[in-house]
Structure formats: C-alpha cells, structure tokens
C-alpha cells in the first residue's frame, strides 16, 4: 500500500490529492495559508462548471458543510452521498468502485470521510485512473488534514507567522483523534517546538510520546502550565472499544476546561476545539462561550481553508 505522503504528491511535488499533512513541505503549507487569505474574501469562481462530490461514510456537520459551501462559492455543482444513500453501504460496492463511479460522472473532486485509516489512500489510488482529486475529510484515527490546516491558520492569525514560540497543549482523547495527529504534524512543520499531550492514561497513554515526539501529562494543571493554546479534543465515545474510562462528570472534574483552569495557561492564551464539543465534559459553557475561545473562529477559518484546498486541487491546474 502506497503511503498517504507518496499518494498525494505528483511528480515535481504538485499536490494531487490532500490525504495527510505528514510530509507536506512548509512552503506549500504557507502557500495554502496565503491562498486562504485571498479566499476569505470573494475570490471568483474557478470551479464553475465542475462537479464536487462529498462521500461521507461517517456523520459530519462542519467538514461536510464547509466542503459543500466552499465548492459552491467557488462555482462548482455539489452532490452529497452519505451512508444512507450509498450503494457501498447497502449493496456492498467497494470504496474504489464508488470513487470510479463518481469519477465517470465527471467529478473534479471528492471529499471523503471514512472510519478506516488508509481509506483516503485507497480512494486516491482509484481516483488516479481518472484524474479526480481526493480531499480527506477525516479518516480513522490517522488524519484530518483540512482541520489541521484550519487550526494552524487560526493560530497564525492570532500569533503571527512565526510558530517557534508557540506552546501548545493537545488535550483529551489523543489516542483516537485524527485531529490531534494532523494538528501535531502541521504545528511541528511550522516550527512549534513545545507541543504537549494531556489526558487520562487510557485516552492519552505514555506510549504516545514516541508517536508524537511530545511529552505526555496525566495531570491537567501541570500539562497546561504556561501554554499559549489548549486544543481540546472531543472524547470519542463511539470509538472506544472497551467502554469509557469514567463518567462524563469524572472526566470533567479531571480534564474539563473550566474558568478556574484558565489561570494555569498564559494570560493571552486561547482555547480551541475542532467540534463537536461536549459541553460539561471537555469544556465548561463559560469557557466555550468566553473571550478566550476561538472555536467559532476555527469554523469560520475552515471555510477559507477549504476554498484554498479545493481551488488548488479541483481547478485542473
Ligand atoms: N471538526 C470536525 O471534523 O467536525 P465534523 O465532524 O462536524 O465534521
């Protein structure tokens, strides 16, 4: 199986698909941010006459809606396939054949969400027979590249282009989180040196230190000490194999972001969360809706990033 890194770059380094942030060169990341700056305003309709198809095997609010709205604002027609309507779910059509079918309809781009790590690479290999571009909208526990781009773009907006002084804590269910992996990959690529993982040992085990190259803290207050940003993660109860390791109230008591806990962070620190948020579990209402929250700014910035990605991948450049 080709790796995501290998599958997404055409000869010469052009981005052919977006599967993972791992291995993407910083100049390309900065170019996508510059594109997003332009697309945050009205930047034209480079996808006029083109077709974008969302193939979502898992539920989504933000990503699917942002892909659809971004594609439409760029001028494309959009079709949404989901687990209720796809033959793949009910008639055992393979992912590859679904991709080939959509490509044969003339699609220029596919947004894919799937529960399996590796699904975006499989889709990209099938898509390479036709020229349609695959944009990973979240696969398994491995990768959510447009969310990672969105989060780094939001931090660039707040703290500037130089990420070297950033102190970032990624908090919660790191083990099952594709967002954690994509965020850590892009923050490292942009130069952030101080990235910490914080969470209960069964959702943020010490073994993650090796995978992420980052220290792991089981104590919330210790892990948050002095950080500029806390990126909170949703506890993915649907992915937990052996039952949740405690009640929501117990989790909130030990790892919930409360107003009292904000005092551990740098005074200028911001709180981020990719959503959907579990209020009263990962985050208190007063923090989610408070002055230091950038949660809705992430959603807004996610539109500009998706437009930047789709314009680059689906306009036939
Ligand atoms: N952040 C994110 O992936 O949210 P959705 O599941 O709503 O797309």
């Amino acid at each position: 199986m080709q790796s995501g890194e290998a599958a997404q770059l055409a000869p010469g380094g052009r981005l052919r698909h977006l599967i993972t942030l791992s291995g993407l060169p910083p100049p390309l990341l900065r170019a996508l941010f510059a594109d997003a700056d332009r697309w945050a305003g009205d930047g034209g309709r480079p996808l006029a006459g083109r077709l974008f198809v969302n193939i979502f095997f898992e539920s989504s609010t933000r990503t699917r809606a942002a892909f659809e709205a971004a594609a439409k604002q760029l001028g494309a027609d959009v079709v949404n396939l989901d687990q209720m309507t796809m033959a793949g779910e009910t008639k055992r059509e393979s992912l590859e054949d679904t991709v080939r079918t959509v490509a044969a309809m003339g699609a220029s781009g596919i947004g894919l969400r799937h529960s399996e790590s590796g699904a975006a690479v499989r889709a990209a290999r099938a898509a390479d027979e036709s020229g349609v571009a695959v944009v990973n909208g979240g696969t398994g526990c491995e990768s959510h590249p447009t969310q990672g781009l969105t989060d780094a773009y939001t931090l660039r907006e707040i703290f500037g282009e130089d990420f070297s002084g950033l102190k970032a804590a990624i908090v919660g269910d790191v083990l099952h989180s594709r967002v954690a992996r994509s965020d850590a990959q892009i923050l490292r690529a942009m130069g952030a040196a101080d990235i910490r993982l914080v969470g209960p040992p069964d959702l943020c085990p010490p073994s993650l230190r090796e995978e992420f190259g980052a220290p792991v803290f089981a104590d919330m207050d210790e892990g948050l000490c002095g950080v500029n940003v806390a990126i909170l993660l949703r506890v993915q109860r649907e992915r937990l194999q052996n039952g949740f390791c405690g009640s929501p109230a117990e989790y909130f008591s030990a790892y919930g972001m409360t107003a009292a806990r904000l005092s551990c962070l740098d005074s200028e620190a911001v709180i981020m969360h990719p959503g959907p948020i579990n209020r009263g579990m990962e985050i208190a209402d007063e923090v989610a809706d408070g002055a230091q929250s950038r949660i809705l700014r992430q959603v807004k910035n996610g539109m500009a990033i998706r437009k930047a990605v789709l314009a680059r991948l689906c306009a036939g450049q």
Side-chain angles (χ1 to χ4, degrees):
M1 169 76 68
Q2 223 178 358
S3 75
E5 291 181 35
Q8 67 188 351
L9 291 174
R14 181 179 64 84
L15 195 62
R16 165 85 182 82
H17 308 283
L18 181 60
I19 294 170
T20 176
L21 297 177
S22 177
L24 283 190
L28 177 56
L29 298 170
R30 283 192 282 271
L32 283 166
F33 294 155
D35 288 356
D37 288 342
R38 285 201 305 280
W39 288 116
D42 181 15
R45 294 166 59 84
L47 302 189
R50 296 185 181 271
L51 175 63
F52 186 81
V53 181
N54 272 322
I55 302 179
F56 271 51
F57 289 89
E58 280 187 352
S59 63
S60 165
T61 299
R62 279 144 287 270
T63 310
R64 200 185 93 157
F67 280 179
E68 178 172 358
K72 285 180 171 170
Q73 288 175 19
L74 294 169
D77 294 319
V78 178
V79 170
N80 290 304
L81 299 176
D82 59 32
Q83 60 267 52
M84 297 300 291
T85 55
M86 266 186 291
E89 283 293 294
T90 55
K91 300 178 183 172
R92 300 187 178 280
E93 182 174 76
S94 71
L95 172 63
E96 286 82 353
D97 280 335
T98 302
V99 169
R100 290 183 188 110
T101 299
V102 166
M105 293 172 184
S108 297
I110 290 171
L112 177 72
R113 174 164 290 191
H114 203 287
S115 60
E116 289 175 21
S117 299
V121 177
R122 287 173 50 205
R125 292 180 71 177
D128 278 338
E129 299 162 12
S130 61
V132 62
V134 172
V135 184
N136 185 347
T139 43
C141 302
E142 70 173 349
S143 185
H144 195 346
T146 62
Q147 184 68 50
L149 283 162
T150 296
D151 294 349
Y153 182 68
T154 302
L155 288 169
R156 167 184 174 268
E157 181 181 64
I158 299 164
F159 297 110
E161 301 272 353
D162 182 2
F163 280 61
S164 62
L166 193 73
K167 297 180 181 178
I170 300 176
V171 181
D173 186 2
V174 180
L175 183 65
H176 300 94
S177 177
R178 51 199 176 209
V179 175
R181 289 176 174 82
S182 288
D183 279 0
Q185 287 160 2
I186 194 166
L187 294 184
R188 281 254 186 276
M190 298 307 297
D194 188 343
I195 300 173
R196 312 157 187 194
L197 310 178
V198 185
D202 36 5
L203 300 180
C204 187
S207 58
L208 290 178
R209 169 187 278 271
E210 195 174 344
E211 180 190 342
F212 282 75
V216 175
F217 295 85
D219 184 276
M220 181 75 161
D221 294 350
E222 191 186 349
L224 292 178
C225 186
V227 300
N228 317 108
V229 56
I231 301 171
L232 311 181
L233 303 169
R234 185 173 69 88
V235 176
Q236 299 185 46
R237 283 176 275 190
E238 74 276 19
R239 285 192 208 282
L240 298 178
Q241 302 284 319
N242 302 315
F244 176 55
C245 51
S247 68
E250 286 168 328
Y251 184 91
F252 185 65
S253 170
Y255 296 101
M257 184 60 74
T258 59
R261 281 219 164 92
L262 284 177
S263 62
C264 301
L265 285 65
D266 182 81
S267 58
E268 305 287 313
V270 294
I271 303 300
M272 293 171 52
H273 192 308
I277 60 176
N278 289 313
R279 289 173 182 263
M281 189 167 183
E282 299 119 24
I283 190 166
D285 286 339
E286 60 200 352
V287 178
D289 304 325
Q292 287 169 265
S293 171
R294 295 294 178 276
I295 295 170
L296 294 179
R297 189 71 194 180
Q298 290 170 265
V299 176
K300 180 177 170 60
N301 286 341
M303 282 298 303
I305 283 290
R306 270 76 182 219
K307 286 169 83 173
V309 169
L310 298 192
R312 192 171 273 256
L313 288 177
C314 306
Q317 296 155 1

